[in-house]
Amino acid sequence: MRYKYYLAAATAFAIWGCFSFVLKPLHNYPSPDILFYRIFCCVILMVATNLLFRKKAIAETKSSLALLKPETRRNLMILTVISSLMLAGNWFFFIYVMNHISVKAASFAYLVCPLLTTVFAFIILKERLTPLQWLSVGLSLVSCVLLSYNNFNDVFFSIIVAATYAIYLVLQKKFIGIDKFLLLTVQLLITSAILLPFYPVYSGPLPQEASFYGYIAVIAIGFTIIPMLLNLFALKGINSSTLGILLYINPIIGFLLAAFYYKESISAIQIVAYSIIVISIIIFNIGSYLKLRSAAK
């Protein structure tokens, strides 16, 4: 039964791996504009969906929250705000890196992210890994060191992108028994409320091209709402560390696109590093399988 959670996570990261197809055509627009319109579009769509079709889920969530202790409700709100801040930061820096540094740098961010996710999950959630899984993490670290050689600027921005998403991902495990669609809606509402005062100051002229809004709609639905819900669904059945390792699907696809579609220069070290990543994914999943089989006995 757990395979559906693995499939959900893999599908989400495969979708994000192809993000450049809809993001690159918007490279002439300021990164803040893409972020603003992406979030505002997501909020409008999700709020409308909740109000029109999910009134029962809203009522049930209200009832569940009312039964919680005031301290628990306060902690949930704090976690929701922190999650929203991490999400907004991740989106902004990812768009900036993708459009103003390189596709490779954006892909590298999601090579670092699984490592940081594993570390944060170990510290915050006390998740444990098998020796085989730690070997996989060690191989991933080796690949990241290889990729960071002579690319400090890329690595700096990549770590920011990775850290914000890793923290967001780990924190989602804290939301137990909360409707995932409604949770994501609230997170995006908070994010939009935080960003709204900055819109008049940092946004560019109102885009006139219909294609801009078409791409934003595709980004909002196909590359934001759907994969994020798949991600939240996956966290119901697998731990953050496993989800973090599956996240490697994203940068591998991004790397292949950078090399063969966008024709960015690829060095021998990068080829070796990404090959190590593929090996580490295989080893980690073997460790996960053995762990599940041992637990089933």
Side-chain angles (χ1 to χ4, degrees), residues 19 40 83 85-86 99 129 137-138 146 150 159 175 181 187-188 190-191 211 227 244 255 274 276 287:
F19 200 4
F40 296 157
S83 297
L85 288 170
M86 293 300 104
N99 281 352
L129 299 180
V137 172
L146 288 173
N150 286 336
I159 288 176
F175 296 99
F181 194 92
Q187 289 173 337
L188 292 176
I190 294 172
T191 302
S211 60
F255 176 79
Y274 275 85
I276 293 174

Side-chain angles (χ1 to χ4, degrees), residues 87-148:
L87 194 58
N90 175 259
W91 286 358
F92 172 77
F93 285 110
F94 178 79
I95 292 168
Y96 177 81
V97 170
M98 177 73 78
N99 281 352
H100 299 287
I101 296 180
S102 71
V103 176
K104 284 187 299 183
S107 297
F108 180 67
Y110 289 100
L111 286 176
V112 180
C113 190
L115 294 175
L116 294 179
T117 301
T118 300
V119 171
F120 290 139
F122 181 77
I123 295 172
I124 299 173
L125 303 177
K126 310 302 180 185
E127 290 184 359
R128 304 297 176 184
L129 299 180
T130 66
L132 202 59
Q133 289 172 322
W134 276 118
L135 172 62
S136 171
V137 172
L139 288 173
S140 301
L141 179 60
V142 170
S143 71
C144 290
V145 171
L146 288 173
L147 287 169
S148 66

Side-chain angles (χ1 to χ4, degrees), residues 2-17 110-111 113-115 117-118 129 133 136-137 140 165 169 230-231 233-235 237-254 277-278 280-286 288-289 292:
R2 283 180 178 269
Y3 293 116
K4 63 183 179 182
Y5 301 112
Y6 284 91
L7 180 61
T11 302
F13 296 135
I15 291 171
W16 277 327
Y110 289 100
L111 286 176
C113 190
L115 294 175
T117 301
T118 300
L129 299 180
Q133 289 172 322
S136 171
V137 172
S140 301
Y165 190 70
L169 199 60
L230 287 171
N231 232 334
F233 173 76
L235 281 167
I238 57 179
N239 61 35
S240 300
S241 302
T242 302
L243 192 68
I245 293 298
L246 289 175
L247 201 154
Y248 278 128
I249 294 170
N250 179 343
I252 288 174
I253 293 174
I277 286 293
V278 173
S280 74
I281 294 174
I282 294 171
I283 291 175
F284 191 93
N285 284 298
I286 290 173
S288 296
Y289 171 74
L292 287 173

